[in-house]
Amino acid sequence: MKRQTRYVVSLAALLITSLIINFSRHTNLTTRFNNIGPHKYYTVSRVMDGDTIELSNREKVRYIGIDTPEVREKKDSEWIYKPRPYAEEASAFNKKLVEGKSVRLEFDVQKRDKYKRLLAYVYAGENMANMEMVKQGYGMIYTYPPNVKYTEKFLEAQKEARDNKRGLWSDLDSEKGRITTAQAKDNIGRVRMIEAQVTDTHLTEKLLILKFKNNFKAVIYKNNIPFGLKDMARSPNKYFKGKTVRVYGLIKEYKGHPEIVIHDMSQLEIIK
């Protein structure tokens, strides 16, 4: 009987300890989130890459609306330092903009991503760092609903960078910038233009995928398709299969194959 009593007491103590630890964790997370506000200022302790920073309170912040070249690549279960073209330049420019400085955060509809990072427009003084990265050619627009507050302004900034051949856009409109699907894998991390025939299409819950020869793909988020073009998502084969299209953007590698993610329909043109 005494042994049973001791067991019940020990179990109860364990449960109480577990509840206290979980409550403490929840309180700490809630306190950290409640300390984040649109009218407060925070010190940037570290620039992680061209579109991600860490604040002095250890919150990581991912810039809304842009995508910059990666400085690291995942190999097996580890991340290794393998900067893509312009990745180091993008990180350096971001450091110049915000590292060690007091910044203000502006939020959109979704405040955190699946990695628990804050999603924000980051201001150093009157300048939005997100916008400056795009304007100077260190990043491309990355439209991901519902955070689309400044999409039109990002498009204008990107056009300015392209027109002035800044950074990622330096050789897009030259012969070097126009490649075939067979050359796509050798151009990972670069902004390139490809003209080719769509061999097949594939629909998922969120994506419309155009397939080409040499395992190249163009990926369109359905939420980014304008209302007037929704038929392309309803009958993609009828709309695209067998047609020649021109697509441009940052070539990335996904599961060993090259692809361009289309964040604005201006990146895609049906030729014939």
Side-chain angles (χ1 to χ4, degrees):
M1 182 69 177
K2 289 181 179 179
R3 182 180 297 174
Q4 185 176 6
T5 301
R6 284 199 300 271
Y7 173 76
V8 171
V9 171
S10 298
L11 182 61
L14 182 63
L15 288 171
I16 291 170
T17 301
S18 176
L19 286 171
I20 291 172
I21 291 172
N22 286 330
F23 177 77
S24 176
R25 286 175 177 171
H26 174 74
T27 301
N28 287 338
L29 181 62
T30 303
T31 300
R32 283 174 64 194
F33 183 75
N34 287 339
N35 284 335
I36 296 293
H39 304 297
K40 295 182 179 180
Y41 286 82
Y42 313 90
T43 300
V44 177
S45 60
R46 179 167 64 111
V47 165
M48 303 179 71
D49 55 31
D51 53 35
T52 310
I53 58 174
E54 185 174 20
L55 306 179
S56 56
N57 63 0
R58 294 185 296 173
E59 285 276 12
K60 292 182 175 61
V61 182
R62 173 65 162 82
Y63 291 178
I64 295 175
I66 77 168
D67 188 30
T68 63
E70 303 292 341
V71 296
R72 294 173 183 82
E73 180 180 289
K74 195 167 187 179
K75 191 172 183 180
D76 299 323
S77 59
E78 295 184 359
W79 288 93
I80 60 173
Y81 186 74
K82 189 178 178 181
R84 296 298 187 186
Y86 287 101
E88 293 178 315
E89 292 88 341
S91 293
F93 187 70
N94 199 17
K95 286 181 180 180
K96 183 179 177 182
L97 287 174
V98 301
E99 191 164 77
K101 296 181 181 180
S102 179
V103 299
R104 175 173 61 87
L105 307 183
E106 179 185 357
F107 300 110
D108 210 321
V109 178
Q110 182 182 342
K111 291 184 173 61
R112 290 189 186 268
D113 64 12
K114 63 181 179 181
Y115 305 109
K116 307 302 179 185
R117 298 177 299 185
L118 286 169
L119 300 173
Y121 305 104
V122 178
Y123 293 84
E126 296 300 315
N127 293 324
M128 185 203 294
N130 317 44
M131 197 72 68
E132 288 301 313
M133 294 297 295
V134 174
K135 190 181 295 184
Q136 298 306 321
Y138 293 112
M140 283 193 66
I141 62 167
Y142 182 81
T143 305
Y144 193 85
N147 291 353
V148 296
K149 185 175 182 179
Y150 294 115
T151 297
E152 292 304 316
K153 289 187 177 181
F154 280 124
L155 283 169
E156 291 172 9
Q158 181 168 281
K159 183 178 185 303
E160 179 181 330
R162 180 177 178 179
D163 289 347
N164 289 280
K165 303 184 187 304
R166 296 173 185 158
L168 290 165
W169 304 96
S170 60
D171 56 12
L172 175 65
D173 296 313
S174 68
E175 186 177 339
K176 185 178 180 181
R178 300 171 187 271
I179 63 171
T180 65
T181 56
Q183 297 170 307
K185 195 163 187 178
D186 295 326
N187 283 268
I188 302 294
R190 298 187 182 278
V191 174
R192 292 291 183 256
M193 184 176 290
I194 294 176
E195 188 174 312
Q197 187 180 68
V198 178
T199 59
D200 203 358
T201 66
H202 178 65
L203 278 176
T204 71
E205 183 181 350
K206 295 182 178 181
L207 304 173
L208 165 56
I209 301 170
L210 308 184
K211 298 182 179 182
F212 301 82
K213 290 182 178 179
N214 302 300
N215 291 310
F216 173 71
K217 296 182 179 68
V219 180
I220 308 169
Y221 283 96
K222 288 182 181 178
N223 284 344
N224 288 336
I225 300 175
F227 181 78
L229 297 176
K230 289 296 182 182
D231 279 349
M232 69 169 59
R234 298 188 188 101
S235 309
N237 270 352
K238 181 181 178 181
Y239 207 93
F240 288 110
K241 190 172 181 179
K243 294 183 180 179
T244 299
V245 303
R246 184 182 295 136
V247 58
Y248 74 86
L250 186 66
I251 299 180
K252 293 196 165 189
E253 187 173 25
Y254 180 70
K255 294 186 176 180
H257 301 301
E259 66 178 30
I260 288 177
V261 179
I262 296 171
H263 294 289
D264 183 79
M265 296 310 295
S266 63
Q267 292 176 247
L268 176 68
E269 180 184 0
I270 298 177
I271 305 300
K272 58 182 178 180

